[in-house]
Amino acid sequence: MKRRNFYIVSDGRLKRKENTLYFESGEDRRPIPVNAIYAIYALGSLTVTSKALSYLAREGICVHFFNRYGLYEGSFYPREGLVSGEVVIRQAEHYLDHDKRLYLAKAFVEGSIMNMARVLRKSGEDDSEVISALQALADAGRIDEVMGAEAVARNAYYSKFDSILQEMKFERRSRQPPENEVNAMISFGNSLLYSAVISEIYHTQLHPAISFLHEPMERRFSLALDIAELFKPVIVDRLIFNLVNRKVVTEGDFDDRFNGVLLNENGRRKFVKAFNERLEKTVKHRKLKRSVSYQRLIRLECYKLVKHVLNAEKYRPFVMWW
Amino acid sequence: MYVIIAYDVNVERVNRVKKFLRQHLNWVQNSLFEGEVTPADLEEIRMGLRRIIDEEEDMVVIYRLRSADAMKREVIGVEKSSVDEVI
């Protein structure tokens, strides 16, 4: 069966029975055919039995957990099925060699800037400020300067949000906690995207902790942060513009009873559904000459990295071509 | 492709067929499953069913559709099991 992402927003238990998974909550019992699962996103409070986990591990299915604020907490990352010492060693080499690392870090930021500019142009906004950060990027000789160029571009990019968003105010980026509705959606969307990238990395030989733009940190899959950077504008930000301007998500879908603003359960359901539709949305790939989904584009990006570290083909970042 | 599988097998085996198909497809109602599959999945399902059923006595029907879009699905009454990916 075609494997899909499942998002469990309700509270309940996930257990294994009759070689398939069941989600139980109260009286409800919902079977999920195991061969239909690509990854599971646990957004509610979920109890998973060890039998269910070992079955998921055997099938190579990742489970991503989020806290009650909708922020990413961690993943159940089954034992790697596609181990390649060669790729890991080469990947580490590209981290350890300053020039090689700089090349990849710049590539990620360049792709990210181009995609931001593209999103602005598609919304009829001026992108010159964002594009001009490319000069600083080209001049950057250290990783922190690359990060700096990225920050400049992102600030310019965010400053256009208020004229794109007709129904809600953005003002400025705020995190932990998000100060308003738009920020809440950006944080939540980025968390979902980060997990989606982890799922894709799992299905390749890449090591999830060896990253190039972000510093490889302990206890974190920082390579997913690098790759997510490229897709944030295309997947998360455009989704938010869409949801806000078509009034799919409105004031009533948020909760502001504590220090910040967060999506409530109903809002989360809408957001997650739209997010998944976006991942499954397809575009015609120019080189492959066939339709690929956005999710597949993330996987292709991983393959490009594998080729790059193996010196088979130089990595060029993903830039939206439509 | 999208498949719809209906079966009528001896009561001794009916549970095994259900258990097996549960791994691969969505359960719609008693003796009826459906879902999106690849040709390889379908072959696996076919082989599994052959192993379970008694071909002298039982019958399984597999309807194949090019894709889910080729189908118009209508439910009258209570939908027993949802296929939504947001739970």
Side-chain angles (χ1 to χ4, degrees):
Chain A
M1 203 168 162
K2 194 179 147 230
R3 292 190 181 262
R4 294 185 294 164
N5 290 316
F6 283 88
Y7 302 85
I8 304 179
V9 183
S10 345
D11 299 347
R13 275 161 66 81
L14 195 64
K15 57 185 256 186
R16 171 185 181 175
K17 209 187 155 219
E18 298 181 348
N19 265 352
T20 197
L21 290 168
Y22 281 87
F23 174 72
E24 296 179 340
S25 87
E27 288 292 282
D28 269 359
R29 202 146 155 273
R30 157 92 195 260
I32 311 171
V34 73
N35 286 334
I37 311 173
Y38 184 70
I40 295 176
Y41 294 73
L43 297 147
S45 86
L46 184 69
T47 306
V48 192
T49 64
S50 65
K51 270 177 166 174
L53 278 179
S54 66
Y55 197 41
L56 287 164
R58 206 172 82 194
E59 297 289 324
I61 298 165
C62 297
V63 187
H64 306 293
F65 294 94
F66 298 81
N67 64 15
R68 60 199 194 94
Y69 305 110
L71 292 177
Y72 176 77
E73 283 274 48
S75 296
F76 171 64
Y77 196 79
R79 176 166 51 85
E80 293 259 13
L82 297 166
V83 187
S84 160
E86 170 87 6
V87 171
V88 177
I89 290 167
R90 296 277 167 231
Q91 207 184 327
E93 179 199 333
H94 278 259
Y95 168 74
L96 292 169
D97 185 309
H98 180 261
D99 291 343
K100 286 180 178 168
R101 178 178 176 197
L102 194 65
Y103 175 82
L104 282 174
K106 280 186 177 184
F108 287 129
V109 172
E110 185 197 330
S112 161
I113 291 177
M114 297 294 275
N115 286 324
M116 286 190 244
R118 191 97 200 153
V119 166
L120 290 185
R121 272 204 307 283
K122 288 208 92 158
S123 311
E125 297 295 322
D126 174 31
D127 64 351
S128 52
E129 238 183 298
V130 174
I131 287 285
S132 62
L134 283 175
Q135 189 53 51
L137 177 68
D139 298 338
R142 291 200 320 268
I143 300 292
D144 56 345
E145 289 169 1
V146 174
M147 288 285 225
E150 203 263 338
V152 169
R154 200 162 285 273
N155 282 335
Y157 172 64
Y158 280 142
S159 72
K160 305 284 182 190
F161 270 34
D162 271 319
S163 68
I164 299 173
L165 294 164
Q166 290 141 29
E167 306 292 328
M168 281 179 187
K169 274 208 167 340
F170 168 69
E171 285 156 358
R172 65 193 180 84
R173 181 78 178 110
S174 53
R175 292 182 286 181
Q176 293 174 358
E179 280 166 9
N180 58 32
E181 290 82 359
V182 179
N183 275 295
M185 283 190 280
I186 295 178
S187 295
F188 186 50
N190 286 348
S191 281
L192 290 174
L193 177 63
Y194 176 68
S195 329
V197 176
I198 291 174
S199 305
E200 296 308 313
I201 293 176
Y202 177 73
H203 292 280
T204 69
Q205 288 88 355
L206 291 170
H207 196 290
I210 306 175
S211 56
F212 307 98
L213 174 61
H214 296 85
E215 209 52 56
M217 284 171 289
E218 274 177 48
R219 291 182 280 275
R220 191 149 173 118
F221 292 155
S222 37
L223 181 62
L225 293 172
D226 283 8
I227 298 174
E229 218 52 72
L230 294 168
F231 292 94
K232 279 180 192 169
V234 185
I235 296 179
V236 180
D237 301 342
R238 291 193 68 201
L239 173 71
I240 294 169
F241 299 157
N242 226 305
L243 289 175
V244 172
N245 289 347
R246 283 190 300 123
K247 297 185 197 167
V248 178
V249 172
T250 53
E251 303 282 335
D253 293 314
F254 295 88
D255 194 340
D256 57 1
R257 275 173 298 169
F258 38 90
N259 272 334
V261 181
L262 293 170
L263 282 156
N264 59 25
E265 185 178 323
N266 197 28
R268 237 175 253 183
R269 271 178 197 278
K270 286 190 205 170
F271 193 93
V272 155
K273 196 166 168 50
F275 178 81
N276 193 52
E277 278 165 15
R278 193 148 272 256
L279 282 184
E280 286 179 359
K281 203 176 141 144
T282 57
V283 286
K284 182 94 176 168
H285 197 284
R286 283 171 172 174
K287 230 161 104 189
L288 300 176
K289 299 211 170 27
R290 60 179 168 85
S291 293
V292 292
S293 63
Y294 282 35
Q295 180 161 333
R296 192 74 189 166
L297 283 175
I298 304 175
R299 176 84 70 89
L300 293 174
E301 212 55 22
C302 298
Y303 290 155
K304 277 154 70 181
L305 271 178
V306 172
K307 280 191 175 167
H308 178 83
V309 297
L310 294 177
N311 288 327
E313 197 179 322
K314 214 171 169 63
Y315 176 74
R316 296 295 308 140
F318 156 76
V319 177
M320 220 170 140
W321 59 78
W322 57 91
Chain B
M1 80 186 95
Y2 200 82
V3 295
I4 301 168
I5 297 185
Y7 54 89
D8 188 349
V9 300
N10 191 297
V11 66
E12 292 164 24
R13 293 178 288 273
V14 72
N15 235 337
R16 287 177 60 206
V17 173
K18 189 186 81 183
K19 265 191 207 172
F20 172 72
L21 288 177
R22 269 244 155 99
Q23 294 170 44
H24 298 275
L25 298 164
N26 291 312
W27 180 79
V28 181
Q29 56 171 235
N30 290 336
S31 323
L32 187 70
F33 281 84
E34 63 177 57
E36 183 83 36
V37 292
T38 63
D41 295 333
L42 183 59
E43 192 49 47
E44 203 177 305
I45 292 172
R46 225 184 254 136
M47 286 191 323
L49 287 172
R50 281 227 174 85
R51 262 200 303 275
I52 299 166
I53 67 164
D54 178 348
E55 291 189 56
E56 305 281 291
E57 202 183 326
D58 305 331
M59 176 186 177
V60 179
V61 194
I62 303 177
Y63 297 92
R64 273 185 289 176
L65 293 147
R66 228 174 301 115
S67 74
D69 303 334
M71 170 182 70
K72 273 219 172 85
R73 194 170 185 276
E74 188 180 334
V75 177
I76 300 173
V78 195
E79 173 114 64
K80 283 198 172 178
S81 130
S82 136
V83 292
D84 207 11
E85 62 278 311
V86 182
I87 303 168

